[in-house]
Amino acid sequence: MKVFLTGGSGYIGKATITALIRHGHTVEALARSEDAARTVGGLGAVPVTGGLGDLDVLNAAAARAEAVVHLAQADTGEADLAAAGALQDGIGSGTYVHTGGTWVYGDTDGVADETAPWNPPPVVAWRRPVEEAVLRRAERGGRPVVVQPGLLYGGENRLIDLFFTAPGRRAGAIPCIGDGGNHWALVHVDDVAELYVAALGAPAGSVYVGVGGVNPTAKEVALALSRAAGIAGKTVSISLDEARERMGVIADAFALDQRFTPARARTELGWTPVHTDPLADLERG
């Protein structure tokens, strides 16, 4: 298939372009800078100059494609909805894969799936009206699919590195919110990239959580990060208020207690995560 992708030079985007091309797809990727164009071009995608605010560019690129994967993160819910609308208008009845996240469900009561009620922390509360609007396109002949990745790790690690590993290395101990007994629904970036590829064949209106199915506690993750950082398993407990001061509003998301199963994607799409020992992966750095 010919796929148009946004966010191609980002953490998930680079892995997804690689996976799409490995599976035989051709990719055009939005690039808002020369550096981004070089990055996606180096991965084998054709750069399309523009940003998420360039709705005509999004619409035209989507119209040339057979499927769209929207990975880029807009600054606001309104901007993301506008970009999604332009992309869906362009792709028409082709598959449109939209990116959400598991944080929208809030704390889970045990192991949950896509039917769990939403209870998002403020940092992701804007996602609900966007995802609902995206999925309503199925009523008008569109083929929307929503992928909701869990907390990503692998490669650059992005959020985990930024908010835990880097400051922990500087301080000599990895921070842990409270006692760290809350669970994180982790997923390896290469596994979630494969999910985006599999989602190209999903039924209209489908929603899939992208998780590895292994949900360690935040304390277990902190210990693994500490060993990887060479600080001998040292961790330090900080209160949620302290975490908010250091991290901002994303601290409330890191404090969530979440456990999810990838059963729906496994059953409907044949997607099976291969990275099933996240603590070992994190400890290896």
Side-chain angles (χ1 to χ4, degrees):
M1 297 176 69
K2 185 175 182 179
V3 180
F4 176 59
L5 180 140
T6 71
S9 63
Y11 178 43
I12 305 177
K14 288 183 286 188
T16 303
I17 289 175
T18 300
L20 285 165
I21 291 175
R22 185 172 60 248
H23 285 273
H25 303 291
T26 59
V27 181
E28 286 193 347
L30 190 68
R32 64 180 179 180
S33 68
E34 291 183 2
D35 284 345
R38 281 192 292 270
T39 296
V40 300
L43 295 168
V46 176
V48 175
T49 302
L52 282 185
D54 298 316
L55 302 184
D56 289 343
V57 172
L58 300 182
N59 182 269
R64 292 193 299 270
E66 296 169 281
V68 169
V69 177
H70 180 33
L71 297 172
Q73 178 71 68
D75 294 331
T76 65
E78 291 79 7
D80 197 42
L81 184 56
L87 291 166
Q88 288 186 283
D89 287 343
I91 196 62
S93 60
T95 301
Y96 169 77
V97 184
H98 189 85
T99 300
T102 59
W103 281 345
V104 298
Y105 295 101
D107 292 325
T108 63
D109 184 11
V111 179
D113 62 15
E114 294 84 353
T115 64
W118 280 43
N119 185 26
V123 69
V124 292
W126 60 270
R127 287 194 181 278
R128 182 159 206 158
V130 176
E131 292 186 25
E132 288 177 343
V134 163
L135 292 171
R136 279 198 299 271
R137 287 292 186 114
E139 301 168 4
R140 294 152 50 191
R143 194 174 172 184
V145 179
V146 175
V147 171
Q148 300 171 320
L151 182 55
L152 287 143
Y153 73 96
E156 301 163 359
N157 262 345
R158 202 171 62 167
L159 293 179
I160 293 175
D161 273 351
L162 178 63
F163 290 103
F164 292 89
T165 307
R169 187 179 287 116
R170 290 193 297 267
I174 302 294
C176 189
I177 301 173
D179 65 3
N182 59 303
H183 297 81
W184 284 358
L186 295 177
V187 64
H188 195 283
V189 65
D190 291 341
D191 281 334
V192 87
E194 290 291 329
L195 177 56
Y196 278 102
V197 177
L200 297 180
S206 300
V207 179
Y208 301 100
V209 295
V211 296
V214 180
N215 307 281
T217 66
K219 181 62 177 289
E220 289 171 330
V221 173
L223 287 168
L225 295 175
S226 181
R227 288 189 283 266
I231 48 181
K234 293 180 181 177
T235 66
V236 61
S237 175
I238 62 175
S239 69
L240 181 54
D241 285 340
E242 288 177 290
R244 288 169 177 151
E245 290 178 7
R246 297 185 190 187
M247 305 175 186
V249 292
I250 201 171
D252 290 272
F254 284 125
L256 294 174
D257 183 25
Q258 292 199 321
R259 286 179 283 173
F260 282 97
T261 173
R264 176 182 287 182
R266 182 185 295 117
T267 300
E268 296 185 6
L269 303 178
W271 175 68
T272 302
V274 299
H275 293 270
T276 57
D277 194 348
L279 296 177
D281 286 345
L282 290 168
E283 189 167 340
R284 285 192 294 268

